[in-house]
Amino acid sequence: MVTNELTTSRATPLQAARARGRVRGRLILLGPAFVAAVAYVDPGNFATNSAAGARYGYLLVWVVVVANLMAMLVQTLTAKLGLATGRSLPELCRERLPRPVNRMMWVQAELVAMATDLAEVIGGAVALYLLFGIPLLPGGIIIGTAAFAVLALRSRGYRAFEVVIAVLLGVIVLAFAANLLASGSDPASAMAGLVPRLQGTDSVLLAAGILGATVMPHVIYVHSALTRDRIPAADDTERRILFRGQRADVLLALSAAGAVNLAMLLIAAASFRGGGPGGADSLEGVHAGLGQTIGTAAAFGFAVALLVSGLASTSVGTYAGEVIMQGFLRRRVPLLLRRLVTLLPALAVLAIGLDPTRALVLSQVILSFGIPFALIPVVAFTRRRDLMGNLVNHPLTTAAASLVAVLVVALNAFLLWQVVAG
């Protein structure tokens, strides 16, 4: 008895976690990537993927798959950065970059946080309107307030927050799985869509939009903070064990998010391609079209998934704002104030009556400005052995990550140019 207590008292946090049993010991390593994955199924993705399927059928299936593989690589590097250094990306930027550069990066990161909340609150407000007829402005206030309940779970430790976000992600997965089964999607055509090809200038632009929006700047900041705050490693061996767990976490979570994005496209391809009823130019149009082509249950499932997406993603977005402020400036801001700062722009957009779908598009343009500031430092830091130790990137990993960074930045520059020129 005494020996067992002594052994337990000397156990490292990882050893104590693994002592809970084989299954529980592995499950405890999962969680951060599920929080990150919510950003890949936010309301902006609903609009983009539905438009891709409605306009081009199964043509851009391969783009969604490639985008998801890119996301897996980026989030793996982000998770590894927090695990290896014990710091979030904003903290490393504050420590390693000149002060003027750090302050500039903080400003753009705050704008990214506001743009993120804009898309997520608007998406949730639209969902409340579709489900209950609640006007957009009160709906936005409800979504913004409800996020407090989810964020409050963090006071009970990281696990409660991660589990609830994972459950919300599961609701989204189930809703789209049910709609996909009911849509009558053509498996053979979907498989044919895995062959890379494009069809005209508009398809190139839409493909660039899907790929360019793959990396969400705020979730890079969040993921590095989540892996930093979890289970401390006692030595290099434990660090490798934890990293294997994080890789599995990313694989599972991003696979779920990728399946949802693919389902969005396949459902739209089956329901709207060829001039079907409704339309995919707006969230309201997708909802109406699903009701006409598949049934009321499908429209209800879409609206529920949109509501859950808005609630979960705005909670993660608010947490991202906290990570950004604490990391770049080493300052904490009360949660209520932090929530108001990022919520007010979204409420202002709803109050003045801007078209919700148009506002979603504009928010994605703002997000694209922040991508280089998050992605390039991750690649640069993870290739440094003095920071990463035995988790430093393999040269091939750095090459692949650099290629992704160049591609994503170039695509977003192209999209910005299209918006300005148009």
Side-chain angles (χ1 to χ4, degrees):
M1 180 72 174
V2 175
T3 302
N4 289 341
E5 290 180 356
L6 181 61
T7 301
T8 302
S9 67
R10 290 178 177 175
T12 65
L14 177 60
Q15 290 170 340
R18 301 181 83 186
R20 299 181 180 184
R22 185 174 182 179
V23 175
R24 292 185 65 189
R26 291 182 177 179
L27 288 177
I28 200 68
L29 300 179
L30 307 180
F34 284 85
V35 176
V38 167
Y40 293 96
V41 290
D42 73 356
N45 293 88
F46 279 59
T48 303
N49 292 311
S50 295
R55 296 179 194 174
Y56 297 103
Y58 302 95
L59 180 73
L60 300 181
V61 165
W62 68 274
V63 179
V64 175
V65 173
V66 169
N68 197 61
L69 293 174
M70 290 167 54
M72 286 182 175
L73 176 60
V74 171
Q75 295 306 142
T76 298
L77 294 185
T78 305
K80 183 168 67 170
L81 181 67
L83 177 62
T85 64
R87 295 174 180 82
S88 67
L89 178 59
E91 288 172 332
L92 285 170
C93 290
R94 187 190 70 234
E95 294 174 4
R96 302 278 171 168
L97 300 177
R99 186 172 182 178
V101 175
N102 179 67
R103 289 301 174 91
M104 179 269 294
M105 292 189 66
W106 166 67
V107 171
Q108 64 80 32
E110 291 289 354
L111 293 175
V112 162
M114 292 180 187
T116 299
D117 221 30
L118 178 67
E120 293 156 354
V121 171
I122 288 176
V126 170
L128 286 175
Y129 173 75
L130 296 175
L131 287 168
F132 308 110
I134 298 175
L136 293 181
L137 180 57
I141 295 173
I142 292 172
I143 291 296
T145 304
F148 278 113
V150 179
L151 287 167
L153 293 170
R154 290 183 51 243
S155 63
R156 300 184 179 182
Y158 65 84
R159 199 61 182 165
F161 180 64
E162 291 175 354
V163 168
V164 168
I165 293 296
V167 169
L168 294 176
L169 178 62
V171 172
I172 299 171
V173 171
L174 290 175
F176 275 99
N179 280 2
L180 180 61
L181 290 174
S183 69
S185 180
D186 183 4
S189 297
M191 292 297 294
L194 292 172
V195 179
R197 54 200 172 91
L198 295 166
Q199 186 179 4
T201 304
D202 288 342
S203 70
V204 175
L205 185 61
L206 192 52
I210 295 172
L211 286 172
T214 295
V215 180
M216 303 295 285
H218 73 290
V219 84
I220 293 179
Y221 301 130
V222 166
H223 203 171
S224 63
L226 287 169
T227 55
R228 170 205 65 186
D229 291 339
R230 294 182 99 251
I231 302 173
D235 52 35
D236 286 347
T237 300
E238 288 199 351
R239 202 167 284 111
R240 286 192 177 279
I241 293 173
L242 289 170
F243 179 53
R244 286 198 295 269
Q246 292 307 311
R247 283 192 301 192
D249 190 32
V250 170
L251 179 62
L252 291 171
L254 270 296
S255 292
V260 169
N261 283 314
L262 189 57
M264 292 176 187
L265 186 148
L266 296 179
I267 292 168
S271 303
F272 304 114
R273 182 66 172 151
D281 292 333
S282 67
L283 295 173
E284 298 92 329
V286 174
H287 177 265
L290 289 175
Q292 295 177 56
T293 57
I294 304 178
T296 304
F300 177 77
F302 175 84
V304 169
L306 181 61
L307 175 61
V308 172
S309 169
L311 176 60
S313 55
T314 195
S315 302
V316 175
T318 303
Y319 177 51
E322 180 181 331
V323 170
I324 288 167
M325 179 73 76
Q326 180 184 353
F328 282 114
L329 299 185
R330 196 181 289 173
R331 292 181 181 176
R332 287 185 177 273
V333 174
L335 181 60
L336 177 60
L337 179 59
R338 177 77 251 174
R339 172 75 279 193
L340 289 175
V341 167
T342 54
L343 181 61
L344 286 177
L347 296 182
V349 168
L350 295 175
I352 62 179
L354 282 182
D355 175 61
T357 303
R358 178 61 177 168
L360 282 174
V361 173
L362 292 176
S363 73
Q364 300 307 304
V365 172
I366 296 173
L367 282 175
S368 67
F369 280 105
I371 288 175
F373 297 100
L375 184 54
I376 293 175
V378 166
V379 178
F381 287 147
T382 53
R383 67 185 292 273
R384 292 181 52 173
R385 185 170 294 276
D386 61 320
L387 281 176
M388 303 297 294
N390 66 332
L391 293 184
V392 66
N393 287 348
H394 186 281
L396 289 178
T397 302
T398 297
S402 299
L403 178 61
V404 168
V406 170
L407 179 61
V408 171
V409 172
L411 285 173
N412 278 277
F414 171 68
L415 289 173
L416 288 172
W417 178 79
Q418 288 288 322
V419 171
V420 173

